[in-house]
Amino acid sequence: MKIETCYSPLTYPLFHNAEAIVVVIDVLRATSAMVTAIANGATSMIPVATVEEAKALQVSGCLAAAERNGEKLDGFDFGNSPISYLDQQIVNKTIAISTTNGTQAIAVASEAKQIVIGAFLNANAVIQYLKDQKRDVVFLCAGWKNKFNLEDTLFAGHVANELLKTDGFETECDSTIAAGVLYEHAAQDLFGFLDKSSHRNRLSHLNLEADIRFCLQLNLYDTVPVSNGDGVLVSHTSLAKV
Amino acid sequence: MKIETCYSPLTYPLFHNAEAIVVVIDVLRATSAMVTAIANGATSMIPVATVEEAKALQVSGCLAAAERNGEKLDGFDFGNSPISYLDQQIVNKTIAISTTNGTQAIAVASEAKQIVIGAFLNANAVIQYLKDQKRDVVFLCAGWKNKFNLEDTLFAGHVANELLKTDGFETECDSTIAAGVLYEHAAQDLFGFLDKSSHRNRLSHLNLEADIRFCLQLNLYDTVPVSNGDGVLVSHTSLAKV
């Protein structure tokens, strides 16, 4: 099984593989929020590209989350802070969500065999799920406004490194090799390493240190949100093998 | 002065900065070939995106180089093997050149303040040139068919690391930080590190080990090919400060 890593949603068409599972990654913070919500009892999430779609779903009875440039938009129940999903009101609810980067990445991969939501919070669960599925894997890093970012790449590198220790997985993809090297470099202190990244500038004014530390926790949850074929994310335990 | 690194010509519009010098990098092998040609006496090179343009310039009296997928095309004087430019016939000649990745990257950056041609062969000369110019820098990695590649990224990381030791240069760009980390990891054995990359697969059938070892030599030449305003590459020593 081939592993490839796409650093920008803008280049995803170069990586499209109809047989692959696409792991969408937006560590800070959309996919961390999705994992947290599903792990804490939300029935499903509906990722949508536009704020208008999220609003329409809210009107029809869903909870709704909308974030742009790091901030929760007025009139919505949530933004993309994963900590905000540690709330009993999400239990057994469907949540529509639209974010700056993460849900855009999900949208560009809509033709994939299956979309899987990855974050450090569910890293081992994603690794085990991919080993079980025995399919080609494309890591799709949401990045920041279509540019490369470090945290999504580090997660891709971590999962790729683990898969490459498993019989049957291989890569000839330079971006996967680079991601693996970067993860090895940063693994001992993810927060410290990212402290050097552009996040300090693009997110520091939002007072997000608590969120960042939350998102960088490894393996807090065992759930893997996966697309159910209708573009809706549900826990993998509620789905049969693809 | 800001430093940014673009891993794919497809994403270059996100990095365009009218005041920046764009360093185009196609280590294996187009920019290594250009540096070798200018350093060994070619007066100028005319990078063109299409084979037809290269052929037309050949008909009008230039030498002409054309490469696609690693191979020299029939009817042209050169491909993109840098070693082939160690030939007295290039002295005082203008060479039109079209390659799979490198000249495409030059084409997408045509609106830049200036284009500079970078390769390990002229690394220190590029570093010194950029320090002297005191402008924002965008590293544009040609990559492989618009995908990230390791060797171009390593070169960007090397030059970025050196500039960042200099007062006035700074970066908030994750791809620049990542490139610098990768270069530090690989610097002691560039060939060995790249041996793990996709090059072994995409280029090994072409028997390019001699070319690869040539291209990975640091600082063999002092020349910096730069665009002269008409899209023609000449030695920086023949140009005034931009």
Side-chain angles (χ1 to χ4, degrees):
Chain A
M1 293 82 76
K2 262 192 327 186
I3 303 174
E4 294 199 284
T5 303
C6 173
Y7 287 154
S8 165
L10 208 56
T11 63
Y12 176 75
L14 303 173
F15 293 86
H16 176 65
N17 166 353
E19 293 306 310
I21 293 179
V22 175
V23 181
V24 174
I25 308 162
D26 185 7
V27 168
L28 297 177
R29 297 171 288 166
T31 59
S32 296
M34 292 171 187
V35 169
T36 302
I38 297 283
N40 284 282
T43 311
S44 61
M45 298 194 85
I46 307 176
V48 292
T50 69
V51 172
E52 291 70 25
E53 291 168 280
K55 178 55 77 178
L57 286 162
Q58 187 183 38
V59 170
S60 76
C62 295
L63 292 172
E67 168 269 347
R68 286 296 182 272
N69 297 312
E71 308 217 43
K72 170 180 168 309
L73 299 186
D74 286 346
F76 287 89
D77 304 295
F78 301 97
N80 68 352
S81 167
I83 294 170
S84 68
Y85 293 89
L86 301 171
D87 183 318
Q88 285 299 308
Q89 71 162 312
I90 70 168
V91 175
N92 296 328
K93 294 286 172 54
T94 290
I95 307 171
I97 182 168
S98 182
T99 73
T100 309
N101 304 293
T103 60
Q104 316 297 323
I106 291 170
V108 304
S110 60
E111 301 295 314
K113 185 77 177 175
Q114 186 174 67
I115 289 170
V116 162
I117 300 301
F120 286 110
L121 294 171
N122 70 341
N124 274 352
V126 168
I127 292 163
Q128 190 57 52
Y129 183 79
L130 296 172
K131 286 180 182 178
D132 291 344
Q133 298 296 318
K134 300 191 192 326
R135 286 188 172 276
D136 291 348
V137 175
V138 176
F139 294 106
L140 172 52
C141 300
W144 181 254
K145 298 189 175 179
N146 283 317
K147 289 184 176 179
F148 171 98
N149 81 19
L150 281 167
E151 65 275 14
D152 297 344
T153 305
L154 292 174
F155 176 79
H158 172 43
V159 179
N161 286 349
E162 294 305 312
L163 294 180
L164 290 169
K165 294 173 187 167
T166 306
D167 278 350
F169 285 101
E170 60 181 9
T171 194
E172 295 178 2
C173 165
D174 279 17
S175 42
T176 301
I177 295 166
V181 169
L182 290 165
Y183 184 74
E184 289 300 316
H185 177 84
Q188 290 306 310
D189 181 12
L190 289 175
F191 187 87
F193 180 71
L194 291 172
D195 200 37
K196 294 191 293 188
S197 88
S198 62
H199 277 290
R200 279 298 166 205
N201 298 291
R202 71 180 191 254
L203 299 180
S204 61
H205 68 289
L206 299 169
N207 194 24
L208 293 184
E209 183 164 327
D211 266 5
I212 296 173
R213 289 192 183 276
F214 184 87
C215 292
L216 297 182
Q217 297 173 100
L218 273 155
N219 310 320
L220 195 62
Y221 300 124
D222 287 330
T223 194
V224 181
V226 296
S227 58
N228 70 354
D230 295 321
V232 175
L233 302 171
V234 298
S235 171
H236 69 291
T237 54
S238 65
L239 267 198
K241 188 169 181 294
V242 291
Chain B
M1 294 82 76
K2 264 192 325 187
I3 302 174
E4 292 198 286
T5 302
C6 173
Y7 287 154
S8 165
L10 208 56
T11 62
Y12 177 75
L14 303 173
F15 293 85
H16 177 64
N17 166 353
E19 293 306 310
I21 293 180
V22 175
V23 181
V24 174
I25 308 162
D26 185 7
V27 167
L28 297 178
R29 298 171 286 167
T31 59
S32 296
M34 292 171 187
V35 169
T36 302
I38 298 283
N40 285 281
T43 311
S44 61
M45 298 194 86
I46 307 176
V48 292
T50 68
V51 172
E52 291 70 24
E53 290 168 280
K55 178 55 76 177
L57 287 161
Q58 187 184 39
V59 169
S60 76
C62 295
L63 291 172
E67 168 270 345
R68 285 297 180 276
N69 298 313
E71 308 218 41
K72 170 181 169 308
L73 298 186
D74 287 345
F76 287 89
D77 304 296
F78 300 98
N80 68 353
S81 167
I83 294 171
S84 68
Y85 293 89
L86 301 171
D87 182 319
Q88 285 300 308
Q89 70 163 312
I90 70 169
V91 176
N92 297 327
K93 295 285 171 57
T94 290
I95 307 171
I97 182 168
S98 182
T99 73
T100 309
N101 304 294
T103 61
Q104 316 296 323
I106 292 170
V108 303
S110 59
E111 302 294 312
K113 185 76 177 176
Q114 186 175 65
I115 290 170
V116 161
I117 300 301
F120 286 109
L121 295 171
N122 71 340
N124 274 353
V126 168
I127 292 162
Q128 190 56 54
Y129 183 79
L130 296 172
K131 287 181 181 177
D132 291 345
Q133 298 296 319
K134 298 191 193 329
R135 287 188 171 275
D136 292 347
V137 175
V138 176
F139 295 105
L140 172 52
C141 299
W144 180 254
K145 298 188 174 179
N146 283 317
K147 289 185 176 178
F148 171 97
N149 81 19
L150 281 167
E151 66 275 14
D152 297 343
T153 305
L154 292 173
F155 176 79
H158 172 43
V159 178
N161 286 349
E162 294 305 312
L163 294 179
L164 291 168
K165 295 174 187 168
T166 307
D167 277 352
F169 285 100
E170 61 182 7
T171 193
E172 296 178 1
C173 166
D174 278 16
S175 42
T176 301
I177 294 166
V181 170
L182 290 165
Y183 184 74
E184 289 299 318
H185 177 84
Q188 291 305 309
D189 181 14
L190 290 175
F191 186 87
F193 180 71
L194 290 172
D195 199 37
K196 292 191 294 186
S197 88
S198 63
H199 276 291
R200 279 296 167 206
N201 299 291
R202 71 180 192 255
L203 299 180
S204 61
H205 67 289
L206 299 169
N207 195 22
L208 294 183
E209 182 164 327
D211 266 6
I212 295 173
R213 289 193 183 275
F214 184 87
C215 292
L216 297 182
Q217 297 174 100
L218 273 156
N219 309 320
L220 195 62
Y221 300 124
D222 287 331
T223 194
V224 181
V226 296
S227 58
N228 70 355
D230 295 321
V232 175
L233 303 171
V234 297
S235 172
H236 69 292
T237 55
S238 65
L239 270 197
K241 188 168 179 298
V242 290

